[in-house]
Amino acid sequence: MRLAALPLLLAPLLLPAMTQAANLIVCTEASPEGFDVVQYNSLTTTNASADVLMNRLVDFDAQGARLVPSLAESWTVSADGLTYDFKLRSGVKFHSTEYFKPTRDLNADDVLFSFNRMLDASNPWHKIAQSGFPHAQSMQLPALIKAIEAPDPHTVRFVLNRADATFLATLSMGFASIYSAEYTAQLLKAGTPEKLNTQPIGTGPFVFKRFQKDAVVRYSGNPDYFAGKPAIDTLVYAITPDANVRLQKVRRNECQVALSPKPLDIQAASEDPNLKVEKTEAFMTAFVAINTQHPPFDKPEVRQAVNLAFDKANYLKAVFEGTAESAAGPFPATTWSYAKDLPGYAHDVAKAKALVAKAGLKDGTKTTIWTRPSSSLLNPNPGLGAQLLQADLKQIGIDAEIRVIEWGELIRRAKAGEHDLLFMGWAGDNGDPDNFLTPQFSCAAVQSGTNFARYCDKGLDTLITDGKATSDQAARSKLYQQAQAQIQQQALWLPLAHPTAAVLTRKEVSGYQVSPFGRQDFYKVTVK
């Protein structure tokens, strides 16, 4: 989520010919699932597509905690909260590549295409997305948006069926990125619509060049970017699953930025005179999703027993090593509407055993624990975390098999609801608590796949929906606190941690800021 303020262009750096000051290599932890960001919900994919290649109508300024202009230079909202008019910025150009040469600048047709594709089942692009539109579906945009109109080529009007306090902030999310209607028409005419996922086009600060799965993504600086050409000429994502290898690479200057370091690596980097550790409190929650559609976890007593049996203090010490706060529910404690007085689940093996017996499992049961192979900010040590959970469940008669699944496959299968217990994490996009509630606990999100607990309850759904229907923050807080109470009582998650977001950089890197939402902005970065 980039700031809309347009920085002055930086003068070219005069450096020896042997240096590559205009290149930036970023060591990342996993491959993106693709580049058609609307089809996916993982942060890894958003980082590789929406964050560098694309723009949205508005952005969220994390430092100022406010929405700011992006492709829309201004907007107005009607008094009844049902009509939003966006005035588009003039002169915004789409990327020019070997596979696409735009003949016009961005206009309202591009915005209409980008949203109608997700909302209109009759749109020819609607059924082409093999992974569907998880965010648009879980956010219930097809039911929310009554019409999208273009009063003129540089004005877009959204008409809603009901007022929604989260609508404007939702437009800053990666899935709301704006696509080229001209490029997609070209692909459809050629009979190659799948290329939108492998040969992306956007308006963002970097232009896609090449992707080699599990190896590298290459981008070049966009000379026609509306905010001015970035100082970086070449941006490379070096896909490096092992966190220790990422540390070694940044030490050797094989990459200048390393994402998702392990806690021990953060300590090591802080003692290295050539490195910097950039930190911020993350608006994120690590958790184990409990699939309520799979027996025996369809019984709340068993889900509650899982929460009671797990020694969370031991887990936090072993896995996060002092770099995270204990999570009691879906929201970080700094979130407005956070319910601080909920009882939670203290570690109590005897009580957990009693609940398992009450659920009719006196002879025990078997299950599976799914986790990823590579470390991440929300799961610094996947293997150790899964083993700790496995051992604690064993104490209450639940025999769990650990399954390590490649990230892309893990996400795909988890969205289909194949998991039992799933180590997962969620990052909010703009500080609004609904960024956790609607995607993770609404009935619509069960259908879209982002509700990993697979829990649909009319009462909880009503609390979430009513919370979005009013702009009164006090009223919203009351509803959201009731929702948190139900989520905790039903034990839909095993909440784990709210981490500190940290990124390692070389001393030569300037202008990089860690996002509390896990987003990546390399537009303002320079390398001396």
Side-chain angles (χ1 to χ4, degrees), residues 424-481:
M424 185 50 63
W426 192 257
D429 287 82
N430 49 42
D432 194 295
D434 183 68
N435 261 199
F436 287 87
L437 293 179
T438 289
Q440 282 297 319
F441 301 105
S442 70
C443 292
V446 176
Q447 300 301 316
S448 69
T450 61
N451 182 337
F452 296 114
R454 312 291 294 177
Y455 181 80
C456 174
D457 176 80
K458 184 178 180 181
L460 180 58
D461 220 42
T462 298
L463 290 171
I464 296 170
T465 301
D466 288 352
K468 293 189 291 186
T470 176
S471 59
D472 185 326
Q473 186 165 309
R476 291 184 72 196
S477 292
K478 185 176 180 180
L479 292 165
Y480 290 163
Q481 286 166 2

Side-chain angles (χ1 to χ4, degrees), residues 20 25 27 238-240 242-258 268-269 272-276 504-509 527:
Q20 296 182 339
I25 301 175
C27 282
I239 299 161
T240 315
D242 190 301
N244 185 59
V245 175
R246 293 197 293 274
L247 172 62
Q248 298 309 317
K249 282 188 173 184
V250 77
R251 276 179 164 165
R252 296 194 296 263
N253 203 21
E254 294 176 14
C255 59
Q256 290 76 51
V257 176
D272 189 323
N274 296 313
L275 303 182
K276 294 185 291 184
L504 312 183
T505 75
R506 298 281 305 177
K507 286 286 189 182
E508 305 92 301
V509 173
V527 184

Side-chain angles (χ1 to χ4, degrees), residues 303-480:
R303 302 194 297 267
Q304 292 164 0
V306 170
N307 275 264
L308 290 164
F310 190 58
D311 188 343
K312 192 182 300 183
N314 182 45
Y315 168 83
L316 289 170
K317 182 178 179 180
V319 173
F320 281 92
E321 302 177 57
T323 63
E325 297 295 326
S326 178
F331 299 169
T334 54
T335 312
W336 61 265
S337 80
Y338 176 75
K340 62 182 178 180
D341 297 324
L342 294 181
Y345 293 92
H347 184 220
D348 191 330
V349 175
K351 189 174 181 180
K353 286 181 178 179
L355 284 172
V356 169
K358 181 181 177 181
L361 301 176
K362 293 181 180 179
D363 297 326
T365 187
K366 294 182 180 294
T367 191
T368 60
I369 298 171
W370 287 21
T371 193
R372 59 189 291 166
S374 57
S375 64
S376 68
L377 171 61
L378 287 159
N379 197 348
N381 195 329
L384 178 58
Q387 290 164 18
L388 292 172
L389 178 58
Q390 180 188 49
D392 287 350
L393 293 181
K394 187 76 171 178
Q395 294 185 58
I396 61 169
I398 298 178
D399 187 6
E401 175 193 352
I402 296 172
R403 296 181 183 175
V404 179
I405 302 173
E406 182 271 329
W407 176 242
E409 182 184 358
L410 181 78
I411 286 289
R412 178 182 61 80
R413 294 178 62 186
K415 285 170 63 179
E418 296 180 25
H419 60 285
D420 296 325
L421 299 173
L422 171 71
F423 274 86
M424 185 50 63
W426 192 257
D429 287 82
N430 49 42
D432 194 295
D434 183 68
N435 261 199
F436 287 87
L437 293 179
T438 289
Q440 282 297 319
F441 301 105
S442 70
C443 292
V446 176
Q447 300 301 316
S448 69
T450 61
N451 182 337
F452 296 114
R454 312 291 294 177
Y455 181 80
C456 174
D457 176 80
K458 184 178 180 181
L460 180 58
D461 220 42
T462 298
L463 290 171
I464 296 170
T465 301
D466 288 352
K468 293 189 291 186
T470 176
S471 59
D472 185 326
Q473 186 165 309
R476 291 184 72 196
S477 292
K478 185 176 180 180
L479 292 165
Y480 290 163

Side-chain angles (χ1 to χ4, degrees), residues 61-79:
D61 172 1
Q63 279 68 46
R66 62 193 178 100
L67 289 162
V68 294
S70 184
L71 294 179
E73 59 185 8
S74 63
W75 59 87
T76 58
V77 185
S78 63

Side-chain angles (χ1 to χ4, degrees), residues 281-300:
E281 290 187 4
F283 191 61
M284 304 177 187
T285 304
F287 61 95
V288 174
I290 304 174
N291 191 335
T292 62
Q293 294 180 346
H294 283 194
F297 302 119
D298 55 339
K299 299 179 179 181

